[in-house]
Each structure stands twice: as C-alpha cells, then as structure tokens.
PDB file of all heavy atoms in Angstrom:
ATOM      1  N   GLU R 111     -50.475  -4.855   9.758  1.00 97.00           N
ATOM      2  CA  GLU R 111     -50.474  -5.699  10.948  1.00 97.00           C
ATOM      3  C   GLU R 111     -50.738  -7.159  10.579  1.00 97.00           C
ATOM      4  O   GLU R 111     -50.141  -8.070  11.157  1.00 97.00           O
ATOM      5  CB  GLU R 111     -51.482  -5.177  11.971  1.00 97.00           C
ATOM      6  CG  GLU R 111     -51.005  -3.878  12.603  1.00 97.00           C
ATOM      7  CD  GLU R 111     -51.997  -3.246  13.553  1.00 97.00           C
ATOM      8  OE1 GLU R 111     -53.221  -3.455  13.396  1.00 97.00           O
ATOM      9  OE2 GLU R 111     -51.538  -2.520  14.457  1.00 97.00           O
ATOM     10  N   SER R 112     -51.574  -7.387   9.573  1.00 97.00           N
ATOM     11  CA  SER R 112     -51.830  -8.763   9.133  1.00 97.00           C
ATOM     12  C   SER R 112     -50.585  -9.403   8.514  1.00 97.00           C
ATOM     13  O   SER R 112     -50.463 -10.623   8.484  1.00 97.00           O
ATOM     14  CB  SER R 112     -52.994  -8.805   8.136  1.00 97.00           C
ATOM     15  OG  SER R 112     -52.585  -8.379   6.847  1.00 97.00           O
ATOM     16  N   LYS R 113     -49.649  -8.576   8.049  1.00 97.00           N
ATOM     17  CA  LYS R 113     -48.417  -9.070   7.448  1.00 97.00           C
ATOM     18  C   LYS R 113     -47.293  -9.222   8.477  1.00 97.00           C
ATOM     19  O   LYS R 113     -46.197  -9.642   8.137  1.00 97.00           O
ATOM     20  CB  LYS R 113     -47.962  -8.121   6.324  1.00 97.00           C
ATOM     21  CG  LYS R 113     -48.927  -8.019   5.151  1.00 97.00           C
ATOM     22  CD  LYS R 113     -49.196  -9.339   4.462  1.00 97.00           C
ATOM     23  CE  LYS R 113     -48.004  -9.828   3.696  1.00 97.00           C
ATOM     24  NZ  LYS R 113     -48.228 -11.147   3.058  1.00 97.00           N
ATOM     25  N   GLY R 114     -47.565  -8.847   9.733  1.00 96.00           N
ATOM     26  CA  GLY R 114     -46.566  -9.034  10.785  1.00 96.00           C
ATOM     27  C   GLY R 114     -45.977  -7.762  11.351  1.00 96.00           C
ATOM     28  O   GLY R 114     -45.171  -7.811  12.279  1.00 96.00           O
ATOM     29  N   ALA R 115     -46.342  -6.609  10.822  1.00 97.00           N
ATOM     30  CA  ALA R 115     -45.848  -5.339  11.360  1.00 97.00           C
ATOM     31  C   ALA R 115     -46.582  -5.029  12.662  1.00 97.00           C
ATOM     32  O   ALA R 115     -47.741  -5.416  12.835  1.00 97.00           O
ATOM     33  CB  ALA R 115     -46.051  -4.215  10.350  1.00 97.00           C
ATOM     34  N   ARG R 116     -45.911  -4.323  13.547  1.00 97.00           N
ATOM     35  CA  ARG R 116     -46.497  -3.962  14.836  1.00 97.00           C
ATOM     36  C   ARG R 116     -46.455  -2.449  15.029  1.00 97.00           C
ATOM     37  O   ARG R 116     -45.462  -1.801  14.700  1.00 97.00           O
ATOM     38  CB  ARG R 116     -45.744  -4.639  15.981  1.00 97.00           C
ATOM     39  CG  ARG R 116     -45.817  -6.155  15.940  1.00 97.00           C
ATOM     40  CD  ARG R 116     -47.233  -6.652  16.231  1.00 97.00           C
ATOM     41  NE  ARG R 116     -47.383  -8.054  15.921  1.00 97.00           N
ATOM     42  CZ  ARG R 116     -48.150  -8.526  14.953  1.00 97.00           C
ATOM     43  NH1 ARG R 116     -48.837  -7.720  14.182  1.00 97.00           N
ATOM     44  NH2 ARG R 116     -48.237  -9.824  14.742  1.00 97.00           N
ATOM     45  N   PHE R 117     -47.545  -1.929  15.579  1.00 97.00           N
ATOM     46  CA  PHE R 117     -47.662  -0.495  15.846  1.00 97.00           C
ATOM     47  C   PHE R 117     -46.589  -0.064  16.835  1.00 97.00           C
ATOM     48  O   PHE R 117     -46.353  -0.729  17.837  1.00 97.00           O
ATOM     49  CB  PHE R 117     -49.053  -0.185  16.407  1.00 97.00           C
ATOM     50  CG  PHE R 117     -49.228   1.241  16.811  1.00 97.00           C
ATOM     51  CD1 PHE R 117     -49.432   2.230  15.863  1.00 97.00           C
ATOM     52  CD2 PHE R 117     -49.162   1.606  18.156  1.00 97.00           C
ATOM     53  CE1 PHE R 117     -49.594   3.554  16.238  1.00 97.00           C
ATOM     54  CE2 PHE R 117     -49.317   2.921  18.542  1.00 97.00           C
ATOM     55  CZ  PHE R 117     -49.532   3.899  17.577  1.00 97.00           C
ATOM     56  N   GLN R 118     -45.951   1.092  16.533  1.00 96.00           N
ATOM     57  CA  GLN R 118     -44.959   1.687  17.433  1.00 96.00           C
ATOM     58  C   GLN R 118     -45.502   2.940  18.100  1.00 96.00           C
ATOM     59  O   GLN R 118     -45.504   3.048  19.305  1.00 96.00           O
ATOM     60  CB  GLN R 118     -43.700   2.089  16.668  1.00 96.00           C
ATOM     61  CG  GLN R 118     -42.701   1.012  16.461  1.00 96.00           C
ATOM     62  CD  GLN R 118     -41.417   1.614  15.912  1.00 96.00           C
ATOM     63  OE1 GLN R 118     -41.426   2.411  14.990  1.00 96.00           O
ATOM     64  NE2 GLN R 118     -40.307   1.221  16.500  1.00 96.00           N
ATOM     65  N   LEU R 119     -45.938   3.898  17.257  1.00 96.00           N
ATOM     66  CA  LEU R 119     -46.362   5.198  17.766  1.00 96.00           C
ATOM     67  C   LEU R 119     -47.055   5.972  16.659  1.00 96.00           C
ATOM     68  O   LEU R 119     -47.036   5.571  15.509  1.00 96.00           O
ATOM     69  CB  LEU R 119     -45.165   5.991  18.296  1.00 96.00           C
ATOM     70  CG  LEU R 119     -43.969   6.187  17.351  1.00 96.00           C
ATOM     71  CD1 LEU R 119     -44.100   7.436  16.513  1.00 96.00           C
ATOM     72  CD2 LEU R 119     -42.694   6.271  18.165  1.00 96.00           C
ATOM     73  N   MET R 120     -47.648   7.091  17.035  1.00 96.00           N
ATOM     74  CA  MET R 120     -48.196   8.012  16.041  1.00 96.00           C
ATOM     75  C   MET R 120     -47.083   8.985  15.666  1.00 96.00           C
ATOM     76  O   MET R 120     -46.353   9.464  16.544  1.00 96.00           O
ATOM     77  CB  MET R 120     -49.407   8.759  16.588  1.00 96.00           C
ATOM     78  CG  MET R 120     -50.596   7.843  16.908  1.00 96.00           C
ATOM     79  SD  MET R 120     -51.223   6.918  15.482  1.00 96.00           S
ATOM     80  CE  MET R 120     -52.069   8.221  14.585  1.00 96.00           C
ATOM     81  N   ALA R 121     -46.934   9.265  14.369  1.00 95.00           N
ATOM     82  CA  ALA R 121     -45.847  10.116  13.879  1.00 95.00           C
ATOM     83  C   ALA R 121     -46.398  11.117  12.868  1.00 95.00           C
ATOM     84  O   ALA R 121     -47.437  10.876  12.241  1.00 95.00           O
ATOM     85  CB  ALA R 121     -44.764   9.253  13.229  1.00 95.00           C
ATOM     86  N   ALA R 122     -45.686  12.200  12.701  1.00 93.00           N
ATOM     87  CA  ALA R 122     -46.105  13.252  11.783  1.00 93.00           C
ATOM     88  C   ALA R 122     -46.043  12.773  10.334  1.00 93.00           C
ATOM     89  O   ALA R 122     -45.095  12.096   9.931  1.00 93.00           O
ATOM     90  CB  ALA R 122     -45.223  14.481  11.957  1.00 93.00           C
ATOM     91  N   SER R 123     -47.061  13.124   9.574  1.00 90.00           N
ATOM     92  CA  SER R 123     -47.094  12.842   8.141  1.00 90.00           C
ATOM     93  C   SER R 123     -45.979  13.609   7.448  1.00 90.00           C
ATOM     94  O   SER R 123     -45.655  14.733   7.826  1.00 90.00           O
ATOM     95  CB  SER R 123     -48.452  13.277   7.576  1.00 90.00           C
ATOM     96  OG  SER R 123     -48.422  13.318   6.170  1.00 90.00           O
ATOM     97  N   ASP R 124     -45.408  13.005   6.419  1.00 84.00           N
ATOM     98  CA  ASP R 124     -44.398  13.714   5.639  1.00 84.00           C
ATOM     99  C   ASP R 124     -45.022  14.456   4.460  1.00 84.00           C
ATOM    100  O   ASP R 124     -44.326  15.062   3.670  1.00 84.00           O
ATOM    101  CB  ASP R 124     -43.283  12.774   5.187  1.00 84.00           C
ATOM    102  CG  ASP R 124     -43.774  11.468   4.614  1.00 84.00           C
ATOM    103  OD1 ASP R 124     -45.001  11.298   4.450  1.00 84.00           O
ATOM    104  OD2 ASP R 124     -42.933  10.603   4.320  1.00 84.00           O
ATOM    105  N   ALA R 125     -46.345  14.438   4.349  1.00 83.00           N
ATOM    106  CA  ALA R 125     -47.028  15.111   3.244  1.00 83.00           C
ATOM    107  C   ALA R 125     -47.990  16.194   3.716  1.00 83.00           C
ATOM    108  O   ALA R 125     -48.138  17.218   3.058  1.00 83.00           O
ATOM    109  CB  ALA R 125     -47.787  14.101   2.390  1.00 83.00           C
ATOM    110  N   ILE R 126     -48.647  15.977   4.842  1.00 86.00           N
ATOM    111  CA  ILE R 126     -49.699  16.878   5.305  1.00 86.00           C
ATOM    112  C   ILE R 126     -49.319  17.423   6.684  1.00 86.00           C
ATOM    113  O   ILE R 126     -49.274  16.662   7.670  1.00 86.00           O
ATOM    114  CB  ILE R 126     -51.066  16.155   5.412  1.00 86.00           C
ATOM    115  CG1 ILE R 126     -51.401  15.397   4.124  1.00 86.00           C
ATOM    116  CG2 ILE R 126     -52.158  17.122   5.828  1.00 86.00           C
ATOM    117  CD1 ILE R 126     -51.750  16.254   2.950  1.00 86.00           C
ATOM    118  N   ALA R 127     -49.059  18.714   6.760  1.00 88.00           N
ATOM    119  CA  ALA R 127     -48.690  19.331   8.033  1.00 88.00           C
ATOM    120  C   ALA R 127     -49.794  19.130   9.066  1.00 88.00           C
ATOM    121  O   ALA R 127     -50.976  19.309   8.770  1.00 88.00           O
ATOM    122  CB  ALA R 127     -48.427  20.820   7.835  1.00 88.00           C
ATOM    123  N   GLY R 128     -49.386  18.712  10.262  1.00 91.00           N
ATOM    124  CA  GLY R 128     -50.323  18.526  11.360  1.00 91.00           C
ATOM    125  C   GLY R 128     -51.043  17.183  11.376  1.00 91.00           C
ATOM    126  O   GLY R 128     -51.745  16.883  12.337  1.00 91.00           O
ATOM    127  N   ARG R 129     -50.882  16.386  10.360  1.00 92.00           N
ATOM    128  CA  ARG R 129     -51.542  15.071  10.313  1.00 92.00           C
ATOM    129  C   ARG R 129     -50.649  14.035  10.983  1.00 92.00           C
ATOM    130  O   ARG R 129     -49.441  13.966  10.720  1.00 92.00           O
ATOM    131  CB  ARG R 129     -51.800  14.669   8.862  1.00 92.00           C
ATOM    132  CG  ARG R 129     -52.586  13.372   8.731  1.00 92.00           C
ATOM    133  CD  ARG R 129     -53.001  13.126   7.285  1.00 92.00           C
ATOM    134  NE  ARG R 129     -53.965  12.049   7.212  1.00 92.00           N
ATOM    135  CZ  ARG R 129     -53.853  10.995   6.406  1.00 92.00           C
ATOM    136  NH1 ARG R 129     -52.842  10.896   5.565  1.00 92.00           N
ATOM    137  NH2 ARG R 129     -54.778  10.058   6.412  1.00 92.00           N
ATOM    138  N   MET R 130     -51.241  13.227  11.843  1.00 95.00           N
ATOM    139  CA  MET R 130     -50.507  12.172  12.533  1.00 95.00           C
ATOM    140  C   MET R 130     -50.920  10.820  11.958  1.00 95.00           C
ATOM    141  O   MET R 130     -52.104  10.593  11.686  1.00 95.00           O
ATOM    142  CB  MET R 130     -50.776  12.222  14.036  1.00 95.00           C
ATOM    143  CG  MET R 130     -50.354  13.536  14.690  1.00 95.00           C
ATOM    144  SD  MET R 130     -48.584  13.882  14.543  1.00 95.00           S
ATOM    145  CE  MET R 130     -47.915  12.710  15.721  1.00 95.00           C
ATOM    146  N   LEU R 131     -49.925   9.966  11.787  1.00 95.00           N
ATOM    147  CA  LEU R 131     -50.149   8.657  11.159  1.00 95.00           C
ATOM    148  C   LEU R 131     -49.529   7.556  12.014  1.00 95.00           C
ATOM    149  O   LEU R 131     -48.532   7.787  12.711  1.00 95.00           O
ATOM    150  CB  LEU R 131     -49.497   8.628   9.776  1.00 95.00           C
ATOM    151  CG  LEU R 131     -50.016   9.630   8.756  1.00 95.00           C
ATOM    152  CD1 LEU R 131     -49.129   9.631   7.522  1.00 95.00           C
ATOM    153  CD2 LEU R 131     -51.450   9.333   8.406  1.00 95.00           C
ATOM    154  N   PRO R 132     -50.065   6.347  11.915  1.00 97.00           N
ATOM    155  CA  PRO R 132     -49.448   5.233  12.637  1.00 97.00           C
ATOM    156  C   PRO R 132     -48.095   4.859  12.019  1.00 97.00           C
ATOM    157  O   PRO R 132     -47.972   4.766  10.792  1.00 97.00           O
ATOM    158  CB  PRO R 132     -50.435   4.081  12.478  1.00 97.00           C
ATOM    159  CG  PRO R 132     -51.537   4.554  11.611  1.00 97.00           C
ATOM    160  CD  PRO R 132     -51.279   5.960  11.225  1.00 97.00           C
ATOM    161  N   ARG R 133     -47.098   4.700  12.872  1.00 97.00           N
ATOM    162  CA  ARG R 133     -45.802   4.185  12.447  1.00 97.00           C
ATOM    163  C   ARG R 133     -45.706   2.766  12.985  1.00 97.00           C
ATOM    164  O   ARG R 133     -45.933   2.521  14.160  1.00 97.00           O
ATOM    165  CB  ARG R 133     -44.640   5.029  12.963  1.00 97.00           C
ATOM    166  CG  ARG R 133     -43.289   4.446  12.524  1.00 97.00           C
ATOM    167  CD  ARG R 133     -42.143   5.395  12.703  1.00 97.00           C
ATOM    168  NE  ARG R 133     -41.945   6.313  11.598  1.00 97.00           N
ATOM    169  CZ  ARG R 133     -41.483   5.983  10.393  1.00 97.00           C
ATOM    170  NH1 ARG R 133     -41.223   4.736  10.094  1.00 97.00           N
ATOM    171  NH2 ARG R 133     -41.302   6.891   9.470  1.00 97.00           N
ATOM    172  N   LEU R 134     -45.385   1.855  12.064  1.00 98.00           N
ATOM    173  CA  LEU R 134     -45.268   0.444  12.419  1.00 98.00           C
ATOM    174  C   LEU R 134     -43.869  -0.048  12.103  1.00 98.00           C
ATOM    175  O   LEU R 134     -43.152   0.576  11.309  1.00 98.00           O
ATOM    176  CB  LEU R 134     -46.291  -0.390  11.628  1.00 98.00           C
ATOM    177  CG  LEU R 134     -47.751  -0.039  11.869  1.00 98.00           C
ATOM    178  CD1 LEU R 134     -48.266   0.882  10.785  1.00 98.00           C
ATOM    179  CD2 LEU R 134     -48.596  -1.282  11.924  1.00 98.00           C
ATOM    180  N   VAL R 135     -43.505  -1.157  12.686  1.00 98.00           N
ATOM    181  CA  VAL R 135     -42.229  -1.797  12.374  1.00 98.00           C
ATOM    182  C   VAL R 135     -42.472  -3.294  12.179  1.00 98.00           C
ATOM    183  O   VAL R 135     -43.248  -3.897  12.916  1.00 98.00           O
ATOM    184  CB  VAL R 135     -41.152  -1.521  13.439  1.00 98.00           C
ATOM    185  CG1 VAL R 135     -41.508  -2.141  14.777  1.00 98.00           C
ATOM    186  CG2 VAL R 135     -39.777  -2.002  12.977  1.00 98.00           C
ATOM    187  N   HIS R 136     -41.825  -3.828  11.169  1.00 98.00           N
ATOM    188  CA  HIS R 136     -41.873  -5.269  10.904  1.00 98.00           C
ATOM    189  C   HIS R 136     -40.462  -5.794  11.147  1.00 98.00           C
ATOM    190  O   HIS R 136     -39.537  -5.451  10.418  1.00 98.00           O
ATOM    191  CB  HIS R 136     -42.289  -5.518   9.454  1.00 98.00           C
ATOM    192  CG  HIS R 136     -42.526  -6.963   9.149  1.00 98.00           C
ATOM    193  ND1 HIS R 136     -43.398  -7.363   8.184  1.00 98.00           N
ATOM    194  CD2 HIS R 136     -42.017  -8.098   9.669  1.00 98.00           C
ATOM    195  CE1 HIS R 136     -43.396  -8.683   8.116  1.00 98.00           C
ATOM    196  NE2 HIS R 136     -42.560  -9.143   9.005  1.00 98.00           N
ATOM    197  N   HIS R 137     -40.311  -6.621  12.187  1.00 97.00           N
ATOM    198  CA  HIS R 137     -39.014  -7.228  12.487  1.00 97.00           C
ATOM    199  C   HIS R 137     -38.819  -8.375  11.506  1.00 97.00           C
ATOM    200  O   HIS R 137     -39.629  -9.290  11.427  1.00 97.00           O
ATOM    201  CB  HIS R 137     -38.952  -7.678  13.934  1.00 97.00           C
ATOM    202  CG  HIS R 137     -39.016  -6.525  14.880  1.00 97.00           C
ATOM    203  ND1 HIS R 137     -37.933  -5.706  15.121  1.00 97.00           N
ATOM    204  CD2 HIS R 137     -40.045  -6.017  15.598  1.00 97.00           C
ATOM    205  CE1 HIS R 137     -38.294  -4.755  15.964  1.00 97.00           C
ATOM    206  NE2 HIS R 137     -39.563  -4.911  16.259  1.00 97.00           N
ATOM    207  N   LEU R 138     -37.727  -8.316  10.759  1.00 95.00           N
ATOM    208  CA  LEU R 138     -37.493  -9.241   9.658  1.00 95.00           C
ATOM    209  C   LEU R 138     -36.586 -10.401  10.017  1.00 95.00           C
ATOM    210  O   LEU R 138     -36.513 -11.372   9.276  1.00 95.00           O
ATOM    211  CB  LEU R 138     -36.893  -8.483   8.466  1.00 95.00           C
ATOM    212  CG  LEU R 138     -37.733  -7.332   7.930  1.00 95.00           C
ATOM    213  CD1 LEU R 138     -36.931  -6.507   6.926  1.00 95.00           C
ATOM    214  CD2 LEU R 138     -39.016  -7.854   7.297  1.00 95.00           C
ATOM    215  N   ALA R 139     -35.870 -10.292  11.114  1.00 78.00           N
ATOM    216  CA  ALA R 139     -34.880 -11.316  11.471  1.00 78.00           C
ATOM    217  C   ALA R 139     -35.540 -12.604  11.914  1.00 78.00           C
ATOM    218  O   ALA R 139     -36.650 -12.667  12.321  1.00 78.00           O
ATOM    219  CB  ALA R 139     -33.969 -10.800  12.571  1.00 78.00           C
TER     220      ALA R 139
END
C-alpha cells in the first residue's frame, strides 16, 4: 500500500488450503 497498491478483496491462498489473503492492485497507467 505504501508503494501505491490498493486493497481489492480477500482471496484464497495458492499455497495453504483455507487461508485467505489480501489481494491488491497497483494501477500502473
């Protein structure tokens, strides 16, 4: 977030079943 990314939603981890992680997006344009 300090680099300019913004929180979108909580999403499933791709490593740990059942773990939810923050998904962020950094608009580059």
Side-chain angles (χ1 to χ4, degrees):
E111 289 176 333
S112 77
K113 297 301 290 178
R116 297 292 168 247
F117 175 77
Q118 275 190 313
L119 54 90
M120 296 300 286
S123 166
D124 46 6
I126 309 289
R129 185 171 192 232
M130 300 299 286
L131 298 171
R133 179 166 275 289
L134 299 98
V135 65
H136 187 152
H137 295 283
L138 302 170

